[in-house]
DNA sequence: ACATCATATGTACGATCGTACGCATGGTGA
DNA sequence: TCACCATGCGTACGATCGTACATATGATGT
């Protein structure tokens, strides 16, 4: 059974079998948000219902409407957390780079490697963009995300180069993620080089 | 009332009020597919139900299961048509370009202009990628689309440059489409130039 | 120890969904 | 002209959805 990471109070009270104590669970809200992302990865936003998320989080259905004012708020918080997480990792990598050359190498590593190229990240990013393409509320979220990425790139590159790099990263990640057999990483190296080389 | 473009047989038979003649409508299947795309643009794949699509196409609900073997087949055909259309327009633009310089200009025009930058195209592309990220069936579709784009670019650029340009176009289009106030078109010109300049 | 009440949850409702299937329909060959 | 039957459609069914709300629960102050 999946029953992942039993939260506090989820298990039965040994002293009173058959009864469940659920009160006083401060992390419940967080768990719901995480479970929401998990369900989205597996079933998509379309398949992410209150019931599925509640089951995945190990909380009763009633907790959904109690902690969140409707599905939209839950989605907003979930994708906010996701974008923040990816953004943090990106920012950290850029901060760790000593100069533009290291930064370029870090960008290549992010695209070809483990951070942006996860199936989970690909799915969640696509789902978020789909929401953003239709609802301004989520578009604000993606805009803040893009702005943060460009700012992180701005540590090492001029603003225009940062914008172009940001777009290139997006396209490369997306295409490599969707491609049945992704082209060689050398292409990524070359592409990044072409963009940053002229930016000095 | 929306009741767009009454198809043949959709209106009442003047000779027999209250009766409807629906037989012999060869374009019905096509109309359903087009209506499907319209509904997806407006409500998303999640909101594209048989009933909504049937209403938009001006056909009875029964026609849905009659012409298509389930929702998945309808989606597959609809997105196939969409990808083919965009691909055709892209191909044509590339074919019209006399040399690499004109091709580069065409790429800029496509990204900043009217073909790829429509809200409709943005929404449909996002929705398709979201499906592709999860289901291999739709991933094949996007793969064929990407292959065709690269082949079209291959008329004027070497294969590696074509791959990079393809990714750049994707990222630029997506970011410009989602950006609340898109950066200047000059950035697009510069980015394309940087990618193709080193490709000679 | 006990009354109190904010916190938390179980349940029920109306809407909408995809799909199956029996029947109406009208083109067609005799 | 008319019977026939492939084509096309109206309708009903079971499932699932988001959400509201009455009620259970247990922490807390006295």
């Amino acid at each position: 059974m999946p029953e992942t990471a039993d939260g506090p109070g989820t298990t039965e009270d040994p002293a009173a079998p058959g009864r469940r104590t659920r009160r006083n669970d401060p992390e419940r809200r967080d768990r719901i948000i995480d479970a929401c992302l998990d369900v989205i990865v597996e079933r998509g936003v379309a398949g992410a219902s209150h019931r599925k998320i509640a089951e995945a989080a190990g909380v009763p259905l009633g907790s959904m409407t109690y902690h969140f004012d409707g599905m939209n708020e839950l989605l907003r918080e979930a994708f906010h957390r996701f974008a923040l997480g990816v953004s943090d990792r990106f920012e950290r990598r850029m901060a760790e780079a000593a100069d533009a050359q290291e930064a370029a190498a870090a960008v290549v590593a992010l695209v070809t490697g483990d951070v942006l190229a996860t199936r989970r990240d690909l799915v969640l990013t696509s789902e978020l963009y789909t929401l953003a393409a239709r609802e301004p509320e989520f578009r604000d979220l993606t805009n803040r995300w893009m702005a943060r990425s460009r700012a992180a790139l701005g540590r090492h590159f001029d603003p225009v180069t940062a914008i172009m790099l940001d777009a290139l990263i997006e396209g490369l990640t997306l295409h490599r993620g969707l491609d049945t057999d992704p082209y060689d990483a050398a292409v990524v190296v070359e592409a990044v080089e072409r963009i940053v080389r002229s930016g000095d």
Side-chain angles (χ1 to χ4, degrees), chain A:
Chain A
M1 280 286 97
E3 187 66 31
T4 55
D6 262 355
T10 297
T11 52
E12 287 188 354
D13 182 355
R19 299 277 298 280
R20 285 165 181 269
T21 31
R22 287 295 175 96
R23 283 305 207 69
N24 209 4
D25 181 5
E27 299 177 15
R28 167 158 302 185
R29 220 183 115 93
D30 277 344
R31 286 217 321 281
I32 292 176
I33 294 175
D34 287 336
C36 178
L37 289 174
D38 289 343
V39 172
I40 289 173
V41 168
E42 205 157 342
R43 313 262 187 180
V45 167
S49 66
H50 278 152
R51 289 166 170 82
K52 297 257 181 63
I53 297 168
E55 189 186 16
V59 303
L61 176 60
S63 282
M64 294 294 124
T65 52
Y66 179 75
H67 286 288
F68 300 94
D69 197 19
M71 190 81 238
N72 228 35
E73 181 183 320
L74 176 52
L75 285 179
R76 190 167 55 242
E77 293 216 34
F79 279 114
H80 178 73
R81 173 169 301 184
F82 164 68
L84 217 61
V86 176
S87 207
D88 280 346
R89 285 178 284 167
F90 189 79
E91 168 96 31
R92 196 174 316 127
R93 291 282 193 115
M94 286 301 114
E96 286 170 3
D99 53 17
Q101 189 182 337
E102 281 190 27
V107 166
V108 172
L110 287 169
V111 172
T112 63
D114 49 349
V115 174
L116 295 174
T118 319
R119 168 160 301 312
R120 180 185 172 91
D121 288 340
L122 175 68
V123 170
L124 288 176
T125 304
S126 304
E127 296 277 0
L128 173 56
Y129 284 177
T130 298
L131 289 176
R134 188 169 301 99
E135 300 180 38
E137 177 183 351
F138 289 94
R139 206 171 313 147
D140 290 343
L141 180 54
T142 58
N143 279 332
R144 284 199 298 274
W145 184 5
M146 286 195 294
R148 243 195 115 189
S149 295
R150 289 170 193 163
L153 290 166
R155 288 170 168 268
H156 306 287
F157 308 102
D158 66 278
V160 174
T161 299
I163 291 176
M164 300 185 303
L165 253 188
D166 192 34
L168 180 70
I169 291 170
E170 189 77 63
L172 286 172
T173 307
L174 197 55
H175 281 199
R176 277 181 60 88
L178 291 179
D179 214 323
T180 309
D181 62 329
Y183 40 84
D184 202 79
V187 177
V188 177
V189 175
E190 173 68 15
V192 171
E193 201 167 308
R194 286 191 191 180
I195 289 292
V196 304
R197 189 191 298 156
S198 315
D200 304 334

